[in-house]
Amino acid sequence: MTTICCIKSCRRSGQPIYPPQAISNYEMGLVFEELIRRFAESSNETAGEHFIPRDIVRLTTALVFMEDDEALQKPGIIRTIYDPTAGTGGFLSSGMEYVTEMNPQAVMRAYGQELNPESYAICKADMLIKGQEINNIKFGNTLSGDQLYADKFDYMLSNPPFGVDWKKIEKEIRDEHHLKGFDGRFGPGLPRVSDGSLLFLMHLISKMRDASDGGGRIGIILNGSPLFTGGAGSGESEIRRYILEADLLEAIVALPTDMFYNTGIATYVWVLSNKKAAHRKGKVQLINGVNLFAKMRKSLGSKRKEMGAADIALITRTYGAFEVVDNLELDKPAEVKRNRGRQSENGNGNGGLRTFSSKIFKSHEFGYRRITIERPLRMSYQFSDERIEELRFAPKPLGAPMKWLYDEYGQGWTDEEYGDLKAWGKDIRIHIKKELSALKEKQIKDLLNRKTWLQQKAILEKARRLQQKIGTEYHDDMNGYDAAVKAAGVKLDAREKKQITAAVSWKNSDAEKMIKKVHKKGSANPIYGIFNVDGKLVEYQTDGDLRDHENVPLAPSRPVNEVNEEYFAREVLPHVPEAWIDGGKKDGQDGEIGIVGYEIPFNRHFYVYQPPRDLAEIDADLAEVSADIMQLLQEVHS
């Protein structure tokens, strides 16, 4: 207990105010927390590093705790709460405050870890005042050095930094991923190094108390990137896949923009649990709360909006009821769009009308299978003088510099001095440094090396010998090329043949399809690239430039090939009859054709089409503006 002995007078009545003689540790902690909040908000630029806005904390805490009736009602219940990015302890304090309000006899034990030494010190002091075990608050990097590695928790709340790279701790993270796999924290996959948000989410999932032991719940604030960044097979997609297929995700709530002190970007609250209620199993609730805000009279850094108690209540009621809400019109003033700058990325497209929505999806509806669509390669060839002459120069990146050097210095070369550039080495380097700065030192040495020029000259001479045997005729069937080269009797190694072929051939949509292989056994299967051509089973070369991918929605109750083939026949074949599915591109987990991916396109699900303005109305506006301009011009000339 803390003794209070100061007396103040009321500003209005002048009567003395007698504070309580003593307050509990918990109440003293609230006082200390309020001082932290005021200190943080007084420095708008750095507030976000130390303190999370109270409205966001309150909402996230309510979403995480409201499903645990036992903790909120049963006397003497003991629960643990954890924040891996504790900051000054705002989330920990809010969790304890929420439970204390609902159940004063409940016991909450706080755990956390923080990287910033100042925030760590404040958090530890706050927990000390609140009567918590301060040894449970750790200092250091949570991702590279988890100091609570053996602990599991009932509740976890976190607001990790948005878009912060993890380059400095990459080795530790990758070692844990590769060596421990799913026995560690990062088994599902690793996101790109430029954004470590999903690493914090996987860390929290690893800390959930086992479902058999009561389970755990998570509330984490993330930006939009973790929802959709990364295609099928990427680290981000594999992490989302693990979360959704393990049925851990309960809901995602879209928050208004401009809610945080140090950023105005769109943010989302993810709510996860490993012990879902029966009616939530296999489903995910998306709540669009981007319009639930009031403008602040005075901005605090980037924070220009705040959520009121009614806004938070609407979200929590909708979440608790697990109900669908279709564009509920809010009793709030319409938002006036700005004329300049980028608009909010999660707007509802309602032309300023402010609405609230909630939708429920099956977990597999966020998944798809990316199949690879191939088309045949068609090429023509001709041993013309112009094409053969290009072989005098090496392929990129040496081709263009060699052309310049040959035009500048090589016109009078004899066989004895061909490619000798020693006399002009200094001038050439000066030119390269000025005009061709992208060339590396090794490439410059190759460029000045006579051996490079002689090798290209030898290839050029072999191509001319081939020309004498094959002729200069134009060919639209590349399938006879290898036979023609072999019949010419000119010996070529793989490098020489590759360069000559590249010089004399080109893609031509009117040419014949190039055959890769003729199968002696099996049966035709054109959907997967095996065609019956004149009684032969033919497989064609693929054209990489025409390669495409299609995302086929998952249908767990049906065979994968059946779903893929039905989609292919409906969406691809009518437009590209000669295409086929690459049956060799299979998912690494289930071995089926197509790479499984998951994304949560939040904005797409809540987009509301707004028809364009009537053309006559637009013409009237243009006429009015034109008349105003003409009037202004007349005033200038008069």
Side-chain angles (χ1 to χ4, degrees), residues 133-178:
E133 175 56 60
I134 60 172
N135 289 330
N136 293 338
I137 308 300
K138 306 294 184 179
F139 175 70
N141 191 312
T142 305
L143 298 180
S144 60
D146 178 17
Q147 297 186 40
L148 296 165
Y149 61 90
D151 294 290
K152 305 285 184 178
F153 305 102
D154 299 298
Y155 309 108
M156 285 157 280
L157 301 166
S158 179
N159 177 32
F162 300 150
V164 175
D165 71 68
W166 45 282
K167 185 70 176 177
K168 293 181 180 179
I169 56 173
E170 183 175 2
K171 183 180 184 303
E172 293 89 339
I173 299 297
R174 293 197 182 278
D175 284 348
E176 181 171 344
H177 170 67
H178 293 300

Side-chain angles (χ1 to χ4, degrees), residues 459-571:
I459 295 175
L460 174 63
E461 290 172 350
K462 287 186 177 183
R464 286 173 175 167
R465 287 162 55 193
L466 286 171
Q467 184 189 49
Q468 293 175 357
K469 298 288 186 178
I470 297 174
T472 59
E473 291 81 10
Y474 178 92
H475 297 272
D476 265 344
D477 188 352
M478 196 75 179
N479 293 305
Y481 174 80
D482 288 338
V485 171
K486 185 176 181 180
V490 179
K491 189 174 181 180
L492 302 173
D493 61 28
R495 174 174 165 271
E496 292 170 337
K497 184 177 180 181
K498 181 179 179 181
Q499 280 200 40
I500 292 174
T501 303
V504 302
S505 64
W506 65 95
K507 290 184 179 180
N508 180 5
S509 59
D510 295 325
E512 294 294 323
K513 303 173 187 176
M514 287 185 62
I515 296 174
K516 177 182 179 181
K517 184 179 180 180
V518 176
H519 294 265
K520 296 181 179 179
K521 297 181 180 179
S523 56
N525 192 353
I527 291 180
Y528 295 100
I530 305 297
F531 299 90
N532 189 336
V533 181
D534 298 329
K536 298 180 179 180
L537 297 178
V538 173
E539 182 180 348
Y540 293 114
Q541 294 273 14
T542 60
D543 188 339
D545 292 335
L546 298 178
R547 181 175 294 122
D548 202 357
H549 300 91
E550 293 286 337
N551 292 339
V552 183
L554 294 183
S557 62
R558 299 175 58 194
V560 171
N561 287 352
E562 179 183 305
V563 176
N564 288 346
E565 292 168 13
E566 181 182 285
Y567 179 95
F568 177 75
R570 183 180 69 251
E571 302 292 342

Side-chain angles (χ1 to χ4, degrees), residues 9 106 218 616:
S9 297
I218 295 172

Side-chain angles (χ1 to χ4, degrees), residues 16 29 118 138 189 339 358 361 379 384 488 597 616 618:
E118 295 176 358
K138 306 294 184 179
N339 293 324
S358 169
F361 300 87
M379 296 191 72
S384 63
I618 297 174

